[in-house]
Amino acid sequence: RGRVCWPTTMEDERKLEESMAEMSVDEAKEAKKKAKAEAKAAKAAKVAAKAAAAEKGKKKTKLGLSVTKEENFGDWYSEIVTEAELISYYDVSGCYILRPWAYAIWEELKAF
């Protein structure tokens, strides 16, 4: 006999009902049970694959940053400065806004 899959559309459900009409009651129940289990396993596998892909893309840092200092210093520094709200980027490419506390730090560095 053919493989029975859990219906996802009305057409699939109609086909399932037709194939089940040819089976005995016990066979139909068993086929339906098996189709549900396969659908559940497929869904669990899809969720697990999605979670694994998301986890693979994440970096492990303690600050919630996507790049570590050792991997890419420039990107790490940009993230630190932006997350600390020392600067914010402007709409014009290459321009940024220096926040007041960042400017105060800059003045202290110059005076040093």
Side-chain angles (χ1 to χ4, degrees):
R1 297 187 187 230
R3 184 174 173 183
V4 178
C5 296
W6 189 249
T8 55
T9 64
M10 294 298 288
E11 179 67 21
D12 290 341
E13 189 171 341
R14 186 186 60 75
K15 288 179 183 176
L16 178 62
E17 287 174 2
E18 286 176 1
S19 66
M20 289 173 58
E22 298 171 3
M23 299 179 191
S24 71
V25 175
D26 291 335
E27 288 176 326
K29 285 181 181 179
E30 192 62 36
K32 193 172 185 179
K33 192 178 197 182
K34 186 176 180 182
K36 278 186 180 182
E38 287 176 357
K40 189 175 181 180
K43 186 176 181 180
K46 187 176 179 182
V47 169
K50 197 174 194 181
E55 189 65 30
K56 184 179 179 184
K58 290 182 181 178
K59 301 290 182 197
K60 300 289 183 185
T61 63
K62 294 181 180 178
L63 301 174
L65 303 173
S66 64
V67 181
T68 62
K69 184 177 180 181
E70 293 77 21
E71 287 176 356
N72 189 336
F73 183 79
D75 288 346
W76 172 83
Y77 184 78
S78 294
E79 282 190 44
I80 291 290
V81 172
T82 306
E83 290 295 319
E85 296 182 357
L86 296 175
I87 66 166
S88 58
Y89 291 102
Y90 193 62
D91 294 338
V92 177
S93 179
C95 295
Y96 57 91
I97 301 167
L98 197 59
R99 300 279 181 100
W101 43 92
Y103 190 76
I105 292 170
W106 174 246
E107 289 295 319
E108 288 296 320
L109 288 173
K110 285 190 338 184
F112 185 69

